[in-house]
Amino acid sequence: MHVLLLKEPRDGESGPDPYIKELASHGHKATLIPVLSFKFVSLNTLSDKLFQPEKHGGLIFTSPRAVEAVKMCLEAEERREEWNSSVKDKWNSKSIYVVGKATAALVRTLGLNPLGEDTGTADVLSRLILEREDTNIPPLFFPCGSIKREVLPTALRGNGVSLETLTVYQTAEHPDLEENLKHYFTEQGAPASVAFFSPSGVKFCLEVVRRLSGEQLTQIKFAAIGPTTQDAMMAEGLCVSCTAEKPTAEHLAAAMAKALQ
């Protein structure tokens, strides 16, 4: 069956996207349409903070884009050398927290050792941080996007753990989103299932998907990558057929395959 994945392609990985690969192993042909576009901001400030690990109690990454912003700060050769020779070890003596396997994999490419890759949501990650951290540590540094949920900052600050956030990328709708969706529906017709990967994805795509599906909308099985996205879909009155147990390609493909049986 044809399924539609409303997500960004995986960066810097050769071969097919893991979600397309996993769905193919269940006998489904998945197409990926990017939903968001990103613009990096405040990179000078980010660079200054990255090279002063002594001022922070640790690092938090909840998205691959935030790690990408860090990589951009290390592009200059002398910066990279300084990072590799001393700075990364200073960070590794503290805790580097992440949500999800994709973010953890990117964090490792920086030479950092991530904690919490199995947490899956900001809510679960905040509980892990509160279990491990003392309230008297210097602020944890959290580079994030312009559309971040307040779950993590609220939980940490509410429990006395100091946090410093910095917006390092802004999220907007992908310029070709509507065009790409129209092309897909014209070529393939309505898919058997549509998967959403973020509340922003729901915000930017749902209206177009509804319009293009017409009367076939009720036949489509809608899938969510996790509980936050599921909530956003339900808030829009969408019937959610399945939600991945964890935000991984394996778990989402298994959930979608079951829903499509």
Side-chain angles (χ1 to χ4, degrees), residues 195-227:
F196 285 100
F197 287 75
S198 67
S200 320
V202 177
K203 180 176 133 190
F204 296 139
C205 297
L206 188 53
E207 206 34 64
V208 189
V209 170
R210 276 194 168 127
R211 195 170 68 239
L212 294 168
S213 307
E215 290 172 1
Q216 289 170 290
L217 186 74
T218 51
Q219 270 108 63
I220 297 173
K221 305 277 189 198
F222 285 97
I225 189 64

Side-chain angles (χ1 to χ4, degrees), residues 35-231:
V35 174
L36 308 172
S37 68
F38 301 95
K39 182 182 163 207
F40 292 99
V41 294
S42 311
L43 292 182
N44 286 342
T45 311
L46 174 60
S47 192
D48 291 346
K49 292 189 181 302
L50 286 172
F51 284 83
Q52 296 177 319
E54 62 284 351
K55 291 190 173 177
H56 295 96
L59 273 168
I60 301 175
F61 294 107
T62 58
S63 75
R65 303 288 153 199
V67 188
E68 231 172 276
V70 171
K71 282 193 159 167
M72 290 169 88
C73 294
L74 303 178
E75 276 171 4
E77 201 176 320
E78 59 275 16
R79 280 271 156 174
R80 189 76 186 169
E81 279 173 10
E82 190 188 339
W83 175 264
N84 285 331
S85 64
S86 63
V87 179
K88 71 174 184 190
D89 292 338
K90 287 178 184 165
W91 280 117
N92 277 329
S93 68
K94 306 166 190 284
S95 298
I96 317 288
Y97 293 104
V98 299
V99 166
K101 291 197 183 309
T103 304
L106 281 172
V107 164
R108 286 193 186 95
T109 66
L110 297 171
L112 299 175
N113 306 321
L115 286 164
E117 68 180 282
D118 292 326
T119 51
T121 67
D123 188 30
V124 182
L125 181 67
S126 63
R127 292 203 289 272
L128 174 72
I129 296 172
L130 291 171
E131 275 168 23
R132 290 178 50 94
E133 298 299 343
D134 217 318
T135 51
N136 60 10
I137 59 160
L140 295 169
F141 180 46
F142 179 25
C144 53
S146 54
I147 308 179
K148 73 166 189 321
R149 290 167 69 241
E150 291 303 318
V151 173
L152 189 79
T154 306
L156 297 186
R157 289 180 181 135
N159 286 280
V161 173
S162 179
L163 184 71
E164 186 182 332
T165 61
L166 177 69
T167 299
V168 294
Y169 64 93
Q170 287 165 345
T171 308
E173 181 178 322
H174 193 285
D176 305 324
L177 176 63
E178 190 158 349
E179 203 46 53
N180 290 339
L181 281 167
K182 275 184 192 160
H183 179 75
Y184 177 87
F185 275 82
T186 307
E187 294 283 307
Q188 308 279 3
S193 179
V194 174
F196 285 100
F197 287 75
S198 67
S200 320
V202 177
K203 180 176 133 190
F204 296 139
C205 297
L206 188 53
E207 206 34 64
V208 189
V209 170
R210 276 194 168 127
R211 195 170 68 239
L212 294 168
S213 307
E215 290 172 1
Q216 289 170 290
L217 186 74
T218 51
Q219 270 108 63
I220 297 173
K221 305 277 189 198
F222 285 97
I225 189 64
T228 314
T229 304
Q230 177 190 302
D231 292 347

Side-chain angles (χ1 to χ4, degrees), residues 224-247:
I225 189 64
T228 314
T229 304
Q230 177 190 302
D231 292 347
M233 291 160 75
M234 287 164 74
E236 292 292 338
L238 209 55
C239 174
V240 181
S241 299
C242 63
T243 302
E245 207 179 304
K246 287 182 177 175

